[in-house]
Amino acid sequence: RPIELFAAQMYINDAKKIIRSMKDLTVIGVTGSYGKTSVKFMLEKLLSAKYNVLVTPESFNTTMGVVKTVRNMLKPYHEIFVCEMGAKNVGEIKEICDIVKPLHGVITSIGPQHLESFKSIDNIIKTKFELCDSLPKENGVIFVNHDNEYCRNKKVDKIAVSFGVSDGSTYQATNVRYSSKGTSFTVLHDGKAVDFTTRLLGEHNISDLVCAIAVADFLGVPEEAMVSAVAEIRPVKHRMEIINKGNGVTVIDDAFNSNPVGSRCAVETLGMMQDSLRIVITPGMIELGEMESELNRKFGHYIAENCDYAVLVGPARTRPIFDGLKDKGFPDEKIFVAKNLSEAVAFADSKTVESARSVVLFENDLPDLYNE
């Protein structure tokens, strides 16, 4: 263990040296309970219209993942480094910031994620805002999600720019319209309105896009380039990814690491597709600590208000969702409790053949060991 720690510190020191040597490099930190990976890739697309951009690949958002990215991928020609910062414990965001020294930061959202390790929402807030605390006071800018109450209510001593779909946002998305092909919306900022279209679905994706638009606009990316880039963005795999299966069946794959905010947005998006049979397949959410049962029950409420069929994977673990469905009077014949994913898919398939148009939402994808 001491040898491993010594080697790790050598790599960290090397990464610090590389960062310090690039005097003109702008580092943008991205953190949040949800949405940080999506925002990272959106920023890469928009900022690349003007700059040479490096982003941390895949889910390289731990201290050593960031160090590996800097040592192996950061080159002298890069002008912007978008650094995703993940954490499961207090102090981990600060640790990454001490290495890469971000000039600007993004906090995508805050919510009850990883409560088993964080223990409280206050610890999550403190940890995410370690990014804000690390920015330089004179010219550092923190971009925060105005739709999120924890971000909105947090007082900061840095220049703050807000984004979202709610009134009062510095950059606000309005006139949001969904279809099975994607979304159109208008961004209002400083008295100006700009129209965008995207293949992405879900209010949380629109909020993330407005975040990326805000950062890109602040850094001088031309309006036309932003409009074009937003239209070209594809869903991150397993995050509200639209798949046309033919025969009138559309799949929305939102199977990656479901959370309370994303799951609600996903089923509410499904609910807007009233010209189709709407089916959700889910095993529920995990890693929510003592709030897990309550949040899954609320998830059942949202499903009942937006879906035609609820397919629950795993009788024991989905009991809170079932109870939430019954709270809202969702009919028994519209609920199917499957033993595993294959059984769930078979039931959904049997229903889609009965309708000319169907949309099937896969919300989270847990291994079978969770679904007993």
Side-chain angles (χ1 to χ4, degrees):
R1 179 64 176 170
I3 295 173
E4 290 176 353
L5 290 173
F6 179 75
Q9 191 59 54
M10 286 181 58
Y11 294 142
I12 289 171
N13 291 339
D14 190 36
K16 287 181 177 180
K17 183 178 179 181
I18 293 169
I19 290 287
R20 304 300 180 271
S21 71
M22 299 180 65
K23 303 298 184 183
D24 297 325
L25 179 70
T26 296
V27 179
I28 303 172
V30 180
T31 192
S33 300
Y34 333 113
K36 53 186 176 291
T37 301
S38 296
V39 166
K40 172 184 67 177
F41 288 122
M42 291 172 184
L43 283 171
E44 179 183 29
K45 187 69 175 178
L46 270 68
L47 294 175
S48 292
K50 182 176 180 179
Y51 302 98
N52 286 315
V53 181
L54 174 68
V55 304
T56 46
E58 300 170 347
S59 292
F60 277 40
N61 59 16
T62 63
T63 297
M64 295 314 296
V66 170
V67 166
K68 184 176 181 180
T69 301
V70 171
R71 295 181 68 246
N72 295 344
M73 300 178 66
L74 189 62
K75 306 300 180 184
Y77 55 77
H78 284 127
E79 298 169 287
I80 292 181
F81 175 35
V82 180
C83 180
E84 181 180 352
M85 302 177 178
K88 290 188 177 181
N89 296 284
V90 175
E92 290 180 349
I93 299 298
K94 181 182 184 302
E95 185 174 71
I96 298 173
C97 289
D98 287 345
I99 297 170
V100 301
K101 297 296 183 183
L103 174 60
H104 306 308
V106 171
I107 301 179
T108 59
S109 64
I110 292 176
Q113 192 81 323
H114 303 308
L115 271 174
E116 292 178 350
S117 56
F118 276 119
K119 306 303 181 185
S120 73
I121 193 71
D122 287 340
N123 282 338
I124 297 175
I125 296 169
K126 177 182 177 181
T127 302
K128 300 308 179 185
F129 274 88
E130 288 171 1
L131 171 56
C132 180
D133 296 339
S134 298
L135 302 181
K137 277 194 174 183
E138 61 278 7
N139 58 348
V141 178
I142 187 71
F143 295 82
V144 294
N145 186 346
H146 194 71
D147 300 331
N148 182 272
E149 62 175 317
Y150 302 115
C151 293
R152 184 173 60 247
N153 295 331
K154 178 71 173 177
K155 303 299 182 184
V156 299
D157 60 353
K158 306 291 165 61
I159 302 168
V161 174
S162 63
F163 60 87
V165 300
S166 55
D167 292 340
S169 305
T170 312
Y171 288 80
Q172 181 186 358
T174 63
N175 196 24
V176 180
R177 304 173 302 282
Y178 297 106
S179 74
S180 60
K181 295 181 180 179
T183 312
S184 59
F185 61 99
T186 302
V187 173
L188 305 179
H189 169 64
D190 200 21
K192 187 167 63 173
V194 183
D195 295 326
F196 293 89
T197 60
T198 178
R199 297 190 181 189
L200 306 184
L201 291 173
E203 186 176 287
H204 59 306
N205 271 325
I206 303 308
S207 182
D208 290 345
L209 276 172
V210 178
C211 171
I213 290 165
V215 176
D217 184 57
F218 177 79
L219 292 175
V221 177
E223 179 183 302
E224 299 79 6
M226 290 192 292
V227 171
S228 177
V230 168
E232 293 174 0
I233 289 174
R234 301 295 186 270
V236 177
K237 196 168 182 61
H238 305 308
R239 290 177 171 90
M240 294 296 283
E241 181 181 8
I242 303 171
I243 304 169
N244 186 350
K245 303 295 286 187
N247 298 320
V249 179
T250 300
V251 167
I252 302 176
D253 179 356
D254 197 38
F256 183 86
N257 195 22
S258 184
N259 62 71
V261 174
S263 61
R264 178 178 182 177
C265 288
V267 296
E268 287 180 345
T269 301
L270 185 63
M272 295 177 184
M273 300 178 184
Q274 298 179 9
D275 60 343
S276 302
L277 181 71
R278 301 158 299 179
I279 303 172
V280 61
I281 299 176
T282 184
M285 300 173 286
I286 62 170
E287 293 188 333
L288 298 174
E290 295 179 356
M291 297 179 66
E292 185 168 298
S293 179
E294 175 190 347
L295 289 169
N296 275 300
R297 188 166 189 147
K298 286 184 179 179
F299 183 34
H301 295 170
Y302 305 138
I303 292 173
E305 294 166 353
N306 292 283
C307 305
D308 298 308
Y309 283 93
V311 184
L312 310 181
V313 186
R317 92 150 289 103
T318 59
R319 185 69 200 190
I321 302 177
F322 182 89
D323 292 340
L325 288 164
K326 299 312 295 178
D327 288 345
K328 294 294 184 178
F330 201 72
D332 287 333
E333 63 270 21
K334 300 291 187 179
I335 305 172
F336 181 73
V337 182
K339 294 179 182 177
N340 51 50
L341 183 59
S342 60
E343 189 175 284
V345 171
F347 175 82
D349 287 344
S350 73
K351 295 302 176 184
T352 60
V353 298
E354 300 174 3
S355 177
R357 295 171 63 87
S358 303
V359 183
V360 182
L361 168 66
F362 286 83
E363 185 61 30
N364 214 359
D365 181 18
L366 303 179
D368 284 342
L369 65 92
Y370 280 107
N371 297 332
E372 298 173 354

